[in-house]
Amino acid sequence: MDTTGNLILPPSGSTYAPQVDALLTFLTYMSLFFIVVIFGAIIYFVIRYRRRGAEPEYHRAPAHNTALEIVWTIIPLILVLFLFVWGFRVYMRMNVVPKDALEIQVTAQKWFWSFTYPDGATSVNELVVPVGRPIKLLLSSRDVIHSFYVPDFRIKRDTLPNRYGITWFEATQVGEHDLFCAEYCGSKHSAMIGKVRVVSDREYREWLETSATAGEGLPPEEFGERLYTSRGCINCHSLDGTPGNGPSMLGVFGSRVQLTDGTSVIADENYVRESILEPQAKIVAGYQPIMPTYQTILRDEEVNALIAYLKTLSEQTTTGE
Ligand code: CUA
């Protein structure tokens, strides 16, 4: 199996990737063959029938040639029918989900991916799947059209609002693969990237367990700090005071925040909670109402942990102010 890829193709990481590649390779070489034949003929005719002498000689052109016309109709017909049948078989293989597939929900929104597993575990920007098992993906979007694109698996499927898209894959070996958004979806489209982590069956079960009990035994601030990165907060809210798509979280907790409607509010626990679960309720002055809700993504104790973490970001700065 090709695990490294080559000049043209990325590594092959799913069971149907080699079939997609074979079809693509055939098409490429077939096109190359006809390019050579057609351009060869053009160049030959240009030289063979170039103008010689001052007065060109005129000949009556042949009206038609039945044998030649049949040949150049039948051969392409056979070729395209052959390609149609081949392509259709690969298409069906990629689109008919095996019965025993493990179903994972994929939700796209500006500008991150979230995944919901069968027992309710969730992850953001990292899809964790067991190796050697068909995975069914139920794709949807909360806002605009995004596209779930994993080159190593040869998967590219649009995610649409108010509709489910279905696709599947089976990873052939343990490892990591890049995930991209392949549909222009706004200013942070290019940052809408993630990973697919293929693990052993045992590791997958362990991961599900630790994910369900994540944060247990951790101080809330520390758990919050992890969530801040793993749930994608960091993508828009910097920690060093630099404004991004959203305000930096440095020193925000406990401070007075100016809102777009001219009023202001103290950033306490309730404000932070509301801003995570209902981001459009209070918009900070100078920013756009673009933050998505985290209602189904974060559990209560995770919201609490994030609040605890934000508090530590204010303690550090109060002495300096
Ligand atoms: Cu989402 Cu581009």
Side-chain angles (χ1 to χ4, degrees), residues 96-239:
V96 179
V97 183
K99 274 213 173 61
D100 56 339
L102 183 75
E103 186 175 306
I104 297 174
Q105 282 183 39
V106 179
T107 308
Q109 61 196 97
K110 294 175 176 178
W111 285 278
F112 62 92
W113 301 96
S114 55
F115 305 98
T116 309
Y117 301 81
D119 69 342
T122 59
S123 65
V124 170
N125 285 340
E126 187 188 56
L127 172 61
V128 181
V129 295
V131 69
R133 248 182 97 179
I135 310 291
K136 173 183 176 181
L137 300 177
L138 201 58
L139 307 137
S140 63
S141 165
R142 276 180 200 257
D143 37 50
V144 298
I145 301 177
H146 304 268
S147 188
F148 182 88
Y149 180 34
V150 184
D152 293 355
F153 293 165
R154 313 294 186 262
I155 278 190
K156 189 195 275 172
R157 184 54 68 102
D158 280 7
T159 68
L160 298 110
N162 304 317
R163 199 190 299 180
Y164 291 115
I166 292 169
T167 190
W168 78 281
F169 67 89
E170 181 180 326
T172 50
Q173 53 217 306
V174 168
E176 270 195 2
H177 305 276
D178 290 319
L179 159 66
F180 302 100
C181 176
E183 184 70 61
Y184 182 69
C185 54
S187 59
K188 283 258 188 168
H189 157 70
S190 62
M192 194 168 163
I193 50 182
K195 289 261 176 239
V196 180
R197 196 151 60 86
V198 182
V199 297
S200 70
D201 214 44
R202 192 174 55 87
E203 251 183 287
Y204 174 70
R205 271 181 278 120
E206 280 171 8
W207 179 84
L208 277 184
E209 261 168 53
T210 50
S211 155
T213 58
E216 271 178 28
L218 269 186
E221 310 84 66
E222 230 168 88
F223 183 36
E225 185 174 4
R226 287 187 194 187
L227 290 170
Y228 201 80
T229 311
S230 69
R231 304 281 143 158
C233 314
I234 187 90
N235 295 344
C236 295
H237 302 283
S238 80
L239 296 174

